Amino acid sequence: TVYIDTGIYSNYTVVVTNSGTATNPIVFMGAPKAGASVFRRNASANVFTLEGSHLVFRNLTVEQGNAAFSASGRAGIIVDSCLVRNNNAGTSGGSTAWNLRRSVFAGHTAASGVFSGGANTYGVDQCVFWRNEAVFGSTFNLFVTNLENSVVVGGTAFLGNLPQAGDHNVFWETVIRGG
């Protein structure tokens, strides 16, 4: 586990090259107080570039980047109890398995919101998607394997495939398309 102290870490991209395992992931743990560990980037660059697999990001605020998290060809990427806001996109890349848990994704301005570059899978539980331009906005091969106990407010959801399974979700002032 990598413990991240209270503070604002700004104007650089964090590149994670190491990998954990499915049973022993590398955990990046922010301070327990909400909003205490903030990663901020200008909109022209990503906040986190993930070159490793089996990574967990917990208790972080990630904001104002091109993408909050960017990964291609990765497995076991977990975003848990994070505030991901005001980026162009929350996630980006291709062929990556994402698990989004107990997190808020808000104010993403790209037409993709939570974005896939293609062939990504998403498991989503207990998340809030608030006033994004789009949620799961890729028209490529994006697969939401499970969407449970989540709230989507505003924007357009599912420009590509509809979720394969889901239960106990709320959609408010949201256009649901599905392709």
Side-chain angles (χ1 to χ4, degrees):
T1 300
V2 177
Y3 292 99
I4 301 165
D5 200 3
T6 299
I8 297 174
Y9 305 92
S10 61
N11 294 325
Y12 57 89
T13 298
V14 177
V15 179
V16 180
T17 57
N18 292 338
S19 292
T21 65
T23 57
N24 192 19
I26 299 173
V27 178
F28 294 86
M29 176 76 76
K33 181 181 174 188
S37 301
V38 179
F39 287 84
R40 182 178 295 152
R41 187 73 168 110
N42 65 33
S44 65
N46 298 327
V47 182
F48 285 93
T49 298
L50 311 179
E51 297 176 357
S53 292
H54 303 292
L55 306 171
V56 177
F57 297 87
R58 187 172 289 137
N59 295 347
L60 301 174
T61 297
V62 184
E63 61 187 18
Q64 299 178 5
N66 181 44
F69 299 96
S70 176
S72 291
R74 304 291 118 206
I77 306 298
I78 298 172
V79 178
D80 184 12
S81 303
C82 291
L83 172 57
V84 183
R85 66 179 176 197
N86 301 329
N87 299 282
N88 287 330
T91 64
S92 73
S95 301
T96 296
W98 298 90
N99 194 323
L100 311 178
R101 304 178 188 157
R102 297 178 297 272
S103 294
V104 175
F105 291 80
H108 297 89
T109 56
S112 53
V114 178
F115 172 78
S116 168
N120 281 348
T121 59
Y122 287 89
V124 181
D125 189 22
Q126 300 178 31
C127 289
V128 174
F129 300 93
W130 186 265
R131 298 286 179 208
N132 297 289
E133 181 72 22
V135 179
F136 306 109
S138 176
T139 56
F140 299 106
N141 294 323
L142 178 140
F143 300 100
V144 180
T145 56
N146 201 37
L147 177 64
E148 292 189 344
N149 308 308
S150 295
V151 176
V152 179
V153 178
T156 302
F158 312 113
L159 295 179
N161 301 312
L162 289 171
Q164 295 172 353
D167 203 5
H168 304 289
N169 298 298
V170 175
F171 294 87
W172 185 261
E173 297 182 352
T174 303
V175 176
I176 299 174
R177 288 184 52 194

